[in-house]
Amino acid sequence: MLDPKRKTTAIRIGRTVMPHAGLTLPLRQLGRHLRDWRMRSSLSLEEAARRLEVGATTLQRAEKGGNSRIKTYFVEKACELYGVPVETKDGMVGLAKQAATGTNWWHSYGDVIPKDFDVYVSLEAFARTVTSFQPQLIPGLLQTTDYDRALVEQIWPDGPREEWDRRVQIKAHRQNVILRKLDPATLNVVIGEAALRHMVGGPATMAKQLRRLIELPALHTNIRLRVLPFSAGFPGGSSMPAFVVLHFDEDAAGEPIEPPVTYLEFAVGGMYLEKEDDVGFYTRKYRLLEQSSLSEADTVSLLMRAAKEYEHRER
């Protein structure tokens, strides 16, 4: 069950004392899932706690990611009570096992956490600000369905059409975080010029995708997009991989309710960085990349030229 002898290391952020970020990122995610599935099952906090044989305060703390450890059998028991599907339960148990991984942790696809249990997507859904650098691909939050589908079919060439459709639908649903009418998240993104030149799905798909990159910032003031041109070289003297920095909501006093997270994605897994120095490093790198990028007006001009080039190829 929950570890009664836990010792919570805390860091102070402004006036708010929070559990140590390195011990709580997986547990914060687990807590969200526990709370979500409890509410789906229409159980009150008190009733769920009674059936799980823990105190309501203890369960509430677990749902907020406030425990340094949670026993896997407690998670399994909660999943059984809430009717959680097996694949989701396995992911939640994996999050519990990740509790002691340290300040930065590596998620290997299909290892402790199942490959289809997307930790990043659920983290992104709660973000207040998404800051992203994508040197070679159009960011997922801005992809058209045709662009996304072309990538999905290449990643899973032998997959059934139903699975392709499911994954494209998941991507479209993710985009609600920045496109919803009520309180959307802010998206700041720098895209490398290479992303405009790498052909995905053919000229028609690319033209439509680049037109979307022009339209979205014009229609949504919470989206800011710039292109890093080839002529900018390597700002800071190094080639940067794709990365995302996520910031979360603030409390009534203007303090962050969760520490920011930097996410690095690789072909076989992802790295989550929470150390203040690491997040600060990528934040400074983003500012440098942004300063070296085209202005928003020049970005639109480049996107229009590139879109017209693809449209001309279709004729």
Side-chain angles (χ1 to χ4, degrees):
M1 204 173 294
L2 305 187
D3 186 354
K5 297 181 179 180
R6 68 181 181 87
K7 292 184 179 180
T8 302
T9 302
I11 55 174
R12 181 171 292 275
I13 301 179
R15 294 180 296 278
T16 304
V17 176
M18 303 177 61
H20 192 287
L23 296 177
T24 59
L25 189 152
L27 291 177
R28 289 199 306 273
Q29 291 299 90
L30 174 58
R32 290 190 182 110
H33 285 287
L34 287 171
R35 182 175 183 274
D36 178 55
W37 281 100
R38 175 178 62 77
M39 296 181 71
R40 290 192 197 188
S41 66
S42 300
L43 287 173
S44 68
L45 182 71
E46 292 73 15
E47 178 62 15
R50 185 185 67 78
R51 296 193 189 186
L52 294 171
E53 300 179 315
V54 298
T57 301
T58 299
L59 179 57
Q60 184 178 53
R61 188 167 58 240
E63 291 183 353
K64 293 182 177 180
N67 296 283
S68 60
R69 285 181 295 174
I70 295 183
K71 300 294 186 180
T72 55
Y73 73 78
F74 171 81
V75 177
E76 291 171 347
K77 186 176 181 181
C79 288
E80 181 180 356
L81 175 63
Y82 301 154
V84 178
V86 173
E87 59 273 15
T88 303
K89 180 203 73 174
D90 291 342
M92 291 168 66
V93 170
L95 287 171
K97 292 178 179 178
Q98 289 283 2
T101 54
T103 308
N104 298 330
W105 62 284
W106 168 261
H107 169 205
S108 179
Y109 296 145
D111 187 8
V112 175
I113 298 175
K115 185 174 182 179
D116 286 342
F117 187 86
D118 201 320
V119 177
Y120 172 78
V121 169
S122 57
L123 192 65
E124 178 187 74
F126 284 89
R128 168 52 42 209
T129 302
V130 180
T131 300
S132 176
F133 172 59
Q134 294 291 334
Q136 299 188 69
L137 276 175
I138 304 301
L141 291 179
L142 300 177
Q143 289 175 6
T144 65
T145 54
D146 289 343
Y147 185 98
D148 180 37
R149 189 178 184 88
L151 292 174
V152 166
E153 292 181 8
Q154 291 182 62
I155 296 171
W156 293 280
D158 299 323
R161 180 175 295 275
E162 294 76 13
E163 180 63 14
W164 293 342
D165 292 341
R166 186 183 73 87
R167 293 184 179 277
V168 170
Q169 289 171 2
I170 290 173
K171 180 69 66 64
H173 181 72
R174 277 179 57 196
Q175 295 177 355
N176 287 335
V177 71
I178 60 168
L179 298 180
R180 64 192 178 216
K181 293 183 178 180
L182 181 62
D183 199 24
T186 296
L187 174 64
N188 300 311
V189 61
V190 169
I191 301 174
E193 186 175 351
L196 315 185
R197 307 301 180 183
H198 285 304
M199 182 80 76
V200 174
T205 295
M206 290 300 300
K208 183 178 179 181
Q209 176 63 76
L210 299 187
R211 292 288 182 185
R212 180 173 174 81
L213 296 183
I214 296 170
E215 294 166 0
L216 285 180
L219 295 173
H220 302 272
T221 58
N222 59 306
I223 300 174
R224 297 182 65 246
L225 166 68
R226 293 192 178 190
V227 171
L228 181 70
F230 290 135
S231 59
F234 299 100
S238 62
S239 175
M240 293 298 296
F243 64 85
V244 181
V245 181
L246 302 172
H247 285 81
F248 302 94
D249 273 324
E250 298 177 343
D251 60 21
E255 303 296 340
I257 60 175
E258 294 187 23
V261 177
T262 295
Y263 176 67
L264 307 175
E265 184 175 19
F266 304 97
V268 295
M271 177 71 79
Y272 297 84
L273 309 176
E274 290 191 279
K275 287 182 180 178
E276 185 177 351
D277 288 348
D278 292 334
V279 175
F281 170 82
Y282 283 96
T283 299
R284 291 190 297 274
K285 283 294 184 180
Y286 180 82
R287 289 173 183 162
L288 181 59
L289 291 164
E290 187 179 49
Q291 291 168 2
S292 303
S293 297
L294 299 174
S295 67
E296 293 179 40
D298 288 341
T299 289
V300 170
S301 296
L302 176 58
L303 290 170
M304 290 184 66
R305 291 197 302 272
K308 289 178 180 178
E309 291 173 7
Y310 283 118
E311 289 165 349
H312 180 72
R313 293 189 198 181
E314 278 292 292
R315 297 172 185 171

